[in-house]
Amino acid sequence: MNFFHATDPVTGERVHSGESGEVVAHEAAHAILDGLRPGYLWAWGPDVGGFHESFGDILAMLVALQDDRVVDRVVEQTGGDLSKPNLAAHLGEELGVAINHTEGRNVTGGDWTRTARNDFTWKDPSTLPHRGGPDELGNEVHSWSRLWTGAFYDGLKAMTDRHMAAGMSPADERV
């Protein structure tokens, strides 16, 4: 597994990606997928790499949602409406802040590396720029992965909406 560290040029603090359970879960997902399908990441086309990154993001969300404190915070932030910004959808917050500080501008769309809350739809990757901005899909694997992560998040939101419509409270929604 790969972890990184750098000094945030604004705060002067050293950011260690391996200190984030979310980042550890994401990187562990890469290792799991590599163990199941060796060499899969090196296949041609952005779909494979994007799926690999999305698999990491999805596992990070699922692991985070096992923590009652995270669920309580998401409920506080959203009241159960997962279309609202929330801790579970925004991935790699500390790392995202450091990236934005290093770049000197908001390149990620917020205080995260990626967000699962998006409206991206599949397009032929060859028609996309290499790196899309926060609101534009690109064919680079980290950008492209947002398509698949967003689709998973839409499913999570639909399940939550259905449970709440059946009378469950947002606090009772557990993954």
Side-chain angles (χ1 to χ4, degrees):
M1 295 195 313
N2 295 312
F3 298 102
F4 308 95
H5 62 273
T7 301
D8 183 317
V10 173
T11 66
E13 293 180 20
R14 196 94 163 135
V15 176
H16 295 269
S17 65
E19 289 181 352
S20 165
E22 198 171 81
V23 172
V24 171
H26 175 97
E27 295 302 327
H30 285 307
I32 291 166
L33 192 52
D34 286 341
L36 293 171
R37 296 285 185 260
Y40 181 69
L41 182 58
W42 307 116
W44 294 99
D47 279 317
V48 174
F51 175 77
H52 219 290
E53 285 300 320
S54 181
F55 190 78
D57 288 347
I58 290 167
L59 185 61
M61 277 190 287
L62 292 174
V63 167
L65 289 169
Q66 296 304 306
D67 186 330
D68 288 339
R69 296 169 299 175
V70 171
V71 173
D72 290 344
R73 181 76 170 126
V74 170
V75 169
E76 178 185 311
Q77 292 172 324
T78 68
D81 178 359
L82 295 184
S83 65
K84 294 179 180 178
N86 68 81
L87 179 66
H90 298 156
L91 303 160
E93 291 90 345
E94 184 180 33
L95 192 56
V97 169
I99 289 169
N100 288 332
H101 286 171
T102 299
E103 294 294 320
R105 60 191 174 88
N106 182 1
V107 296
T108 65
D111 292 344
W112 52 76
T113 55
R114 286 184 290 283
T115 183
R117 291 178 51 250
N118 66 63
D119 294 320
F120 295 128
T121 58
W122 194 92
K123 294 180 176 65
D124 181 345
S126 68
T127 66
L128 300 173
H130 181 62
R131 272 203 191 269
D135 298 319
E136 179 184 28
L137 197 58
N139 64 26
E140 186 274 333
V141 297
H142 295 90
S143 179
W144 186 249
S145 72
R146 298 177 299 162
L147 173 70
W148 309 119
T149 303
F152 173 82
Y153 188 78
D154 289 348
L156 187 64
K157 180 185 177 312
M159 287 187 299
T160 300
D161 291 348
R162 185 180 44 154
H163 289 156
M164 288 184 60
M168 289 180 74
S169 76
D172 292 333
E173 255 317 290
R174 303 283 189 222
V175 174

